[in-house]
Amino acid sequence: MDLLSQLNEDLKTAMKARNKLELNVIRSLKTGVMNEKIELGHDLTPDEEVTVVSRGLKQRKESLTEFEKADRQDLADDTKAEIAIVEKYMPAQMSEDEINNVVKETAQQVGATSKADFGKLMGAVMPKVKGKADGKLVNQAVKNLLS
């Protein structure tokens, strides 16, 4: 089942349950998928769907950070609940060990050995872990390997 179909089914379920928070999050994701579909002019591939969902997740994580800085616990709690809902639509996330293994293998493939190769290595690793690993964790793993 593609993401749009899944979102439509979950939207119906949330409507029946009168779950406003989940309803808003699903509508937001669905809107993002539809806008991306219109912008690209074709049905989205699974990778493109993951990109849309990860964009929504990243926005919510950034909002959470800002709410916590501003000491707005009420908004932070709502955002944490939204993040949990969005994460249901993301592929399973890689562990730190799995990320480190991918980084090491890719470093050997591209011949990255020094800090000067950081950009080259990141450019090779990110497509392999797209949607399955947080960019900050990948960035840290690359820095640790090259230092």
Side-chain angles (χ1 to χ4, degrees):
M1 178 183 295
D2 70 328
L3 180 63
L4 201 53
S5 300
Q6 181 67 44
L7 288 171
N8 283 327
E9 289 299 313
D10 292 348
L11 188 68
K12 290 176 192 174
T13 305
M15 282 180 174
K16 288 177 184 175
R18 298 181 192 268
N19 185 340
K20 287 186 179 184
L21 180 67
E22 190 168 0
L23 197 59
N24 288 337
V25 172
I26 293 170
R27 281 183 176 150
S28 168
L29 290 174
K30 185 178 174 190
T31 300
V33 170
M34 294 302 292
N35 286 343
E36 192 78 7
K37 184 177 176 181
I38 291 167
E39 188 175 312
L40 296 176
H42 61 80
D43 288 339
L44 300 182
T45 65
D47 280 345
E48 291 167 336
E49 290 175 344
V50 167
T51 300
V52 172
V53 175
S54 61
R55 190 179 310 139
L57 184 62
K58 182 179 179 184
Q59 289 171 344
R60 284 171 176 84
K61 285 184 177 182
E62 289 171 355
S63 296
L64 178 62
T65 304
E66 293 302 316
F67 292 146
E68 288 174 343
K69 280 183 189 174
D71 200 27
R72 292 293 311 267
Q73 197 57 42
D74 56 329
L75 296 174
D77 291 341
D78 287 346
T79 306
K80 286 178 186 175
E82 289 179 14
I83 289 171
I85 295 167
V86 174
E87 285 176 339
K88 292 191 308 190
Y89 301 101
M90 291 290 292
Q93 296 294 297
M94 298 172 76
S95 69
E96 283 189 48
D97 291 338
E98 292 171 320
I99 294 170
N100 288 332
N101 289 339
V102 170
V103 168
K104 286 176 188 170
E105 290 172 15
T106 307
Q108 290 172 349
Q109 292 169 358
V110 299
T113 55
S114 69
K115 288 184 179 183
D117 298 324
F118 179 83
K120 179 169 71 170
L121 183 55
M122 280 296 290
V125 170
M126 287 310 290
K128 293 180 180 183
V129 299
K130 185 173 185 161
K132 295 183 264 180
D134 183 24
K136 291 179 184 176
L137 292 175
V138 175
N139 185 318
Q140 191 60 46
V142 170
K143 283 182 181 176
N144 290 344
L145 182 72
L146 296 178
S147 61

